[in-house]
Amino acid sequence: MGQAMISLFSRTSQNTQISTLVFGCDSEVLHLDLWLQGNHMENPDNKTEVVLLACGSFNPITNMHLRLFELAKDYLHETGKYKVIKGIISPVGDAYKKKSLISANHRVTMAKLATESSDWVEVDDWESSQNEWLETLKVLRYHHQKLASSNPDNSLQSAVPLIKPGRKRKQEANRYIPVKKNQLSPETKGVPQLKLLCGADILESFGIPNLWKLEDITEIVANHGLVCITRAGNNAQKFIYESDTLWQHKNNIHLVEEWITNDISSTKIRRALRRGQSVRYLVPDAVRTYIEKHNLYSPESEDRNAGVILAPLQKYARGCKQEQTL
């Protein structure tokens, strides 16, 4: 064997000195990194990686929905603390029972068409494929577990549901597997932070009786956090002030002001379509073409689920009645 060599050199990354001791013996080289902290080499800027998750009807998806992601990304990057690596659109399932909600299959397809040109926003159909309505918190837990499972530093069971013997893949592929509270720490090593992206209307909906469970709101803002797009004159700050829960976790709620205002909404898009008016430049062209091809929005579709109580109101109101009878 040839003469062994020993060398010592240093390099610096973000004020963290990393010394590497190299032992060489012919072709065999052993690298011993001392004082290597966290993931400085993988993330040389030492910024917190973030994944943005937007839940909602997307009925249909509009250009404004897509703008929410860009506004949030710009804001987080401008803080100098975060690096947004992915955006996820998760359309709600049909079991939500919202009035005028068309088939999840159409809504997911339109969302995928809308994001074809994006290099960082994608559509996930797991939530929409469930037979039952799922609380937003459960969707957050699922995606957090999925992110953790894909990280080699975490020896967690894969978040993708396993196929049981004798069951067809079609039946099992999207089955909901409960993720228990605190099963995953929001600070799991090497896992990006998952934050809920929303508009001010979602933030204010926290105050609607029986629409959200208080413990769900607490876990969302405490363990994940919100990136909330607001508009000038919006009362988001006041709403946070008036809520003890939100005020306690106000540092984990990012309010992003939308200075270039845009009043596009799915409700107004559907109204225009029912009246035979153009929605060009309000939704992506591929989405507009898909809507026209399938004649998706009509007076009949607007009446879908009319008179049906929204799934969370049914569930939580029923729970309150049961508690009162105990």
Side-chain angles (χ1 to χ4, degrees):
M1 299 180 69
Q3 182 179 4
M5 61 178 180
I6 300 178
S7 63
L8 178 67
F9 62 96
S10 300
R11 59 187 184 276
T12 303
S13 173
Q14 285 296 101
N15 299 323
T16 300
Q17 187 177 36
I18 304 170
S19 297
T20 303
L21 188 62
V22 182
F23 296 90
C25 187
D26 288 342
S27 61
E28 296 181 5
V29 180
L30 173 64
H31 292 268
L32 177 61
D33 281 358
L34 304 178
W35 309 319
L36 179 59
Q37 299 179 4
N39 59 347
H40 284 283
M41 297 306 293
E42 295 179 3
N43 186 6
D45 296 329
N46 197 26
K47 295 179 180 177
T48 301
E49 292 185 337
V50 171
V51 173
L52 297 170
L53 173 67
C55 299
S57 299
F58 301 101
N59 187 39
I61 191 168
T62 71
N63 288 340
M64 189 57 219
H65 288 130
L66 302 177
R67 280 294 299 160
L68 295 181
F69 282 92
E70 297 296 332
L71 290 166
K73 183 180 181 181
D74 284 348
Y75 167 85
L76 291 174
H77 284 183
E78 287 170 5
T79 67
K81 300 177 182 179
Y82 302 100
K83 178 182 179 182
V84 178
I85 62 172
K86 183 192 291 187
I88 302 172
I89 292 174
S90 180
V92 73
D94 294 337
Y96 188 52
K97 299 298 182 183
K98 185 176 182 179
K99 183 179 179 297
S100 74
L101 190 66
I102 67 169
S103 166
N105 181 58
H106 285 309
R107 291 182 287 110
V108 168
T109 299
M110 288 188 287
K112 289 181 177 179
L113 289 171
T115 55
E116 279 183 336
S117 62
S118 177
D119 60 356
W120 69 283
V121 179
E122 62 185 41
V123 180
D124 188 279
D125 64 356
W126 178 81
E127 178 186 2
S128 65
S129 67
Q130 304 304 311
N131 293 327
E132 61 181 13
W133 167 73
L134 296 179
E135 294 92 333
T136 299
L137 176 58
K138 291 180 179 177
V139 181
L140 279 162
R141 288 176 181 172
Y142 167 81
H143 284 286
H144 187 198
Q145 184 184 28
K146 189 174 180 180
L147 289 169
S149 299
S150 64
N151 189 290
D153 291 336
N154 297 284
S155 57
L156 295 170
Q157 183 180 3
S158 173
V160 179
L162 300 176
I163 302 174
K164 295 182 179 180
R167 296 288 187 91
K168 294 181 180 179
R169 182 179 182 85
K170 183 178 181 181
Q171 294 174 329
E172 292 293 319
N174 290 310
R175 182 174 61 85
Y176 171 59
I177 295 181
V179 181
K180 296 179 180 179
K181 181 179 179 181
N182 297 327
Q183 180 173 334
L184 292 172
S185 166
E187 302 298 331
T188 306
K189 179 183 177 183
V191 178
Q193 285 188 9
L194 180 64
K195 294 187 179 297
L196 183 64
L197 173 63
C198 65
D201 57 331
I202 299 297
L203 180 69
E204 294 176 359
S205 76
F206 287 166
I208 298 177
N210 296 324
L211 190 61
W212 298 81
K213 290 190 294 186
L214 180 58
E215 55 265 37
D216 282 12
I217 296 173
T218 302
E219 187 173 337
I220 288 172
V221 294
N223 289 3
H224 299 286
L226 297 176
V227 180
C228 179
I229 311 300
T230 68
R231 296 177 180 178
N234 192 276
N235 290 324
Q237 283 279 15
K238 180 182 178 183
F239 186 80
I240 293 173
Y241 170 75
E242 293 176 346
S243 165
D244 289 342
T245 299
L246 298 182
W247 183 259
Q248 181 182 356
H249 303 285
K250 62 182 182 296
N251 292 334
N252 211 17
I253 302 175
H254 303 271
L255 298 182
V256 184
E257 189 136 2
E258 178 196 358
W259 293 106
I260 305 176
T261 58
N262 191 325
D263 200 30
I264 298 174
S265 71
S266 295
T267 300
K268 293 180 179 179
I269 296 296
R270 295 196 307 273
R271 181 181 298 127
L273 289 167
R274 291 198 308 274
R275 296 174 180 178
Q277 298 172 344
S278 171
V279 294
R280 187 186 291 270
Y281 310 124
L282 299 177
V283 299
D285 283 341
V287 172
R288 178 179 57 84
T289 300
Y290 185 87
I291 291 173
E292 293 173 353
K293 179 180 178 180
H294 297 277
N295 190 27
L296 293 184
Y297 296 104
S298 63
E300 291 74 25
S301 68
E302 193 66 17
D303 287 336
R304 186 175 183 181
N305 293 327
V308 179
I309 300 176
L310 208 61
L313 295 178
Q314 287 186 38
K315 183 174 182 178
Y316 300 149
R318 184 169 58 248
C320 289
K321 289 182 179 178
Q322 290 175 349
E323 289 179 2
Q324 291 172 0
T325 58
L326 294 177

